Amino acid sequence: MKLDAKALRYMSAEDFRVLTAVEMGSKNHEVVPTSLIAQIASLRHGGSHKIVGELAKRNLIAKVQNAKYDGYRLTYGGYDYLALKTFSKRGSVFSVGNQIGVGKESDIYIVANEDDKQLVLKLQRLGRVSFRSIKSKRDYLQKRKSASWMYMSRLAAMKEYAFMKVLYENGFPVPEPVDLSRHCVVMELIDAFPLRQVDEVANPAQLYSDLMDLIVKLAQHGLIHGDFNEFNILIKESGKPILIDFPQMVSTSHANAEYYFNRDVECIRVFFKRRFGYESLLYPKFTKHIEREFDLDVQVAASGFTKKHQQELEEYQEALGEDGDEGEDSDEDIESEEESEEETTEEPLNEMTEEEKAEERLRNLRLGNDMETESEES
Ligand code: ADP
Ligand code: MG
């Protein structure tokens, strides 16, 4: 999914009003009826019909026909625009530059804020991998009607922001989180290469022990990264490692905590042996090293990214993980299987969802004020 930021400039206030109406309608409708879009946007002279057509032409919304009515759904393109618009209003993103990363479930861009400071924009793309042919994914979707790409991507971004914030404020080597909207996080740009691209380091033994110390320190604070590998560790010129990519972090009280912990450790051992020919008899083991200092995990939960959110995201990630993603190439997402289903629960459309409230709380959170932190951390 390319982010076409240039066209953003040609969006009129009315265009955004209609796009926002589709987003609001999506809270209660898999497919938002055209009449409802018009009603929410409430433009004079019925102007929304024409704009709906234009938005669809630009792939910001997509027409969906089902038995009951014609309507539209938001696309990732449209969702991107809404997030960018919010960032630009807040001054956290002024311009969008090159794409620097494309993962299975995210896109990464360099952006700049109003002061021309370069930052990183990470857009979550959950559901990019098709669910259709995979049995456990089907079962999962049967159980969870609300598992839409929009919702899951938003949860992943909320989680990333919440963990980054808590880790950053507690002195861990992670990028500084800057802003959060919908499925997008803005963060500090780290001037460094992923370990994956580093062929030589001055002192492999030092780096190895720094990384193992980091795994242990996380565990002592109740956390396991869960994807601690050469792609998610950036190495600065000085040799200092910076950890990124947090949507899969788990608590040390997770049922499979030991498995995740050992896997993180093993990733580093295997990589160091292969890349640097470095092996050590010393490596941390889960049971021995869990002497809790305090629980960042609890702070994250208190921040607005709740246990319920965590659980919903985990279920999704597990459903995906089971079968692997080979042979999947469709850009279509989960909701296309569900779209014949009309939602029955009607809530006032302008009321904030739990997730929107949580998002707002997360952004406004200043750890020093809003929750207990321990200050002895370096
Ligand atoms: P994914 O979930 O797709 O793995 P990551 O957060 O790991 O996304 O980012 C993918 C790549 O983008 C990283 O390997 C790194 O090269 C680059 N990247 C991500 N965040 C930053 C950052 N804050 N500063 C510099 N590079 C980054
Ligand atoms: Mg990554």
Side-chain angles (χ1 to χ4, degrees):
M1 229 318 303
K2 261 264 172 292
L3 173 64
D4 178 15
K6 267 189 224 99
L8 195 58
R9 267 182 252 149
Y10 307 112
M11 293 278 288
S12 70
E14 291 195 336
D15 293 346
F16 263 111
R17 208 178 156 85
V18 175
L19 192 58
T20 304
V22 179
E23 182 186 36
M24 288 169 78
S26 317
K27 287 174 196 167
N28 316 56
H29 296 263
E30 296 286 349
V31 179
V32 190
T34 313
S35 57
L36 182 61
I37 298 171
Q39 194 190 323
I40 299 173
S42 64
L43 295 181
R44 264 175 290 169
H45 315 304
S48 87
H49 264 77
K50 183 162 162 267
I51 294 177
V52 160
E54 282 162 13
L55 294 177
K57 229 181 271 164
R58 294 154 75 178
N59 292 325
L60 301 177
I61 60 177
K63 192 171 178 72
V64 183
Q65 294 181 349
N66 76 19
K68 287 181 203 141
Y69 51 75
D70 277 357
Y72 291 80
R73 65 173 180 87
L74 205 58
T75 63
Y76 260 122
Y79 209 36
D80 292 352
Y81 269 34
L82 289 164
L84 278 174
K85 176 80 175 172
T86 300
F87 288 141
S88 111
K89 261 194 257 164
R90 293 190 200 132
S92 46
V93 175
F94 182 71
S95 61
V96 178
N98 292 335
Q99 184 164 13
I100 56 166
V102 52
K104 209 157 31 183
E105 304 217 305
S106 78
D107 287 325
I108 318 269
Y109 286 82
I110 303 239
V111 296
N113 70 6
E114 282 175 333
D115 306 324
D116 225 17
K117 183 178 180 194
Q118 292 204 320
L119 300 165
V120 162
L121 169 69
K122 179 168 177 178
L123 307 102
Q124 294 290 340
R125 301 274 189 237
L126 276 63
R128 172 146 66 187
V129 177
S130 169
F131 283 76
R132 214 152 290 147
S133 56
I134 314 271
K135 184 176 171 300
S136 73
K137 295 173 193 176
R138 281 178 185 282
D139 293 349
Y140 166 72
L141 288 169
Q142 300 275 299
K143 272 185 268 158
R144 282 204 53 78
K145 276 293 174 199
S146 65
S148 77
W149 57 267
M150 252 166 93
Y151 183 64
M152 288 299 154
S153 293
R154 165 176 236 139
L155 285 190
M158 279 171 58
K159 179 169 179 184
E160 178 132 275
Y161 188 85
F163 278 83
M164 209 186 298
K165 185 127 191 155
V166 165
L167 289 171
Y168 184 80
E169 305 259 347
N170 283 276
F172 281 84
V174 302
E176 180 179 9
V178 174
D179 206 352
L180 166 73
S181 172
R182 301 175 176 83
H183 61 316
C184 301
V185 171
V186 180
M187 69 184 101
E188 176 190 2
L189 169 67
I190 304 296
D191 184 16
F193 290 107
L195 181 55
R196 167 82 185 176
Q197 293 173 27
V198 177
D199 290 323
E200 245 179 291
V201 289
N203 189 346
Q206 181 64 52
L207 182 59
Y208 176 90
S209 95
D210 286 352
L211 293 173
M212 292 304 181
D213 287 351
L214 186 50
I215 292 177
V216 170
K217 189 175 161 195
L218 283 168
Q220 284 169 340
H221 291 76
L223 298 175
I224 299 168
H225 183 274
D227 206 3
F228 201 92
N229 61 36
E230 64 271 25
F231 298 95
N232 293 329
I233 297 160
L234 307 180
I235 306 294
K236 299 194 54 147
E237 185 98 34
S238 63
K240 189 186 173 203
I242 308 283
L243 189 58
I244 59 167
D245 202 359
F246 311 104
Q248 69 298 312
M249 281 192 86
V250 295
S251 160
T252 47
S253 43
H254 188 281
N256 299 325
E258 182 164 7
Y259 167 80
Y260 290 122
F261 181 92
N262 290 339
R263 193 176 64 178
D264 278 0
V265 169
E266 200 52 26
C267 265
I268 296 305
R269 296 188 72 206
V270 168
F271 181 79
F272 269 71
K273 190 171 168 193
R274 215 180 49 224
R275 175 68 56 92
F276 306 121
Y278 178 83
E279 255 184 295
S280 170
L281 290 173
L282 297 175
Y283 60 92
K285 294 181 193 74
F286 183 70
T287 41
K288 280 199 194 144
H289 289 272
I290 305 306
E291 277 160 41
R292 294 280 186 88
E293 306 232 336
F294 56 94
D295 244 325
L296 291 186
D297 183 40
V298 172
Q299 289 184 20
V300 169
S303 74
F305 187 77
T306 61
K307 289 268 186 300
K308 172 181 157 274
H309 291 139
Q310 171 88 2
Q311 206 172 348
E312 284 174 329
L313 192 59
E314 253 172 45
E315 276 176 28
Y316 166 90
Q317 285 162 337
E318 277 163 21
L320 265 193
E322 267 170 42
D323 300 285
D325 308 303
E326 298 84 29
E328 298 297 322
D329 56 4
S330 167
D331 220 305
E332 271 311 301
D333 1 84
I334 319 168
E335 90 275 34
S336 50
E337 288 202 340
E338 297 175 29
E339 64 206 16
S340 59
E341 202 72 27
E342 203 178 343
E343 290 293 313
T344 46
T345 49
E346 294 285 335
E347 293 161 27
L349 282 165
N350 53 0
E351 213 159 78
M352 275 176 118
T353 61
E354 283 309 307
E355 287 66 43
E356 282 163 333
K357 283 183 211 154
E359 190 181 293
E360 188 151 293
R361 254 194 98 191
L362 275 169
R363 271 190 292 103
N364 294 331
L365 184 78
R366 287 189 307 276
L367 284 169
N369 302 342
D370 297 3
M371 54 177 54
E372 296 162 25
T373 53
E374 313 236 350
S375 48
E376 87 287 344
E377 270 309 302
S378 55

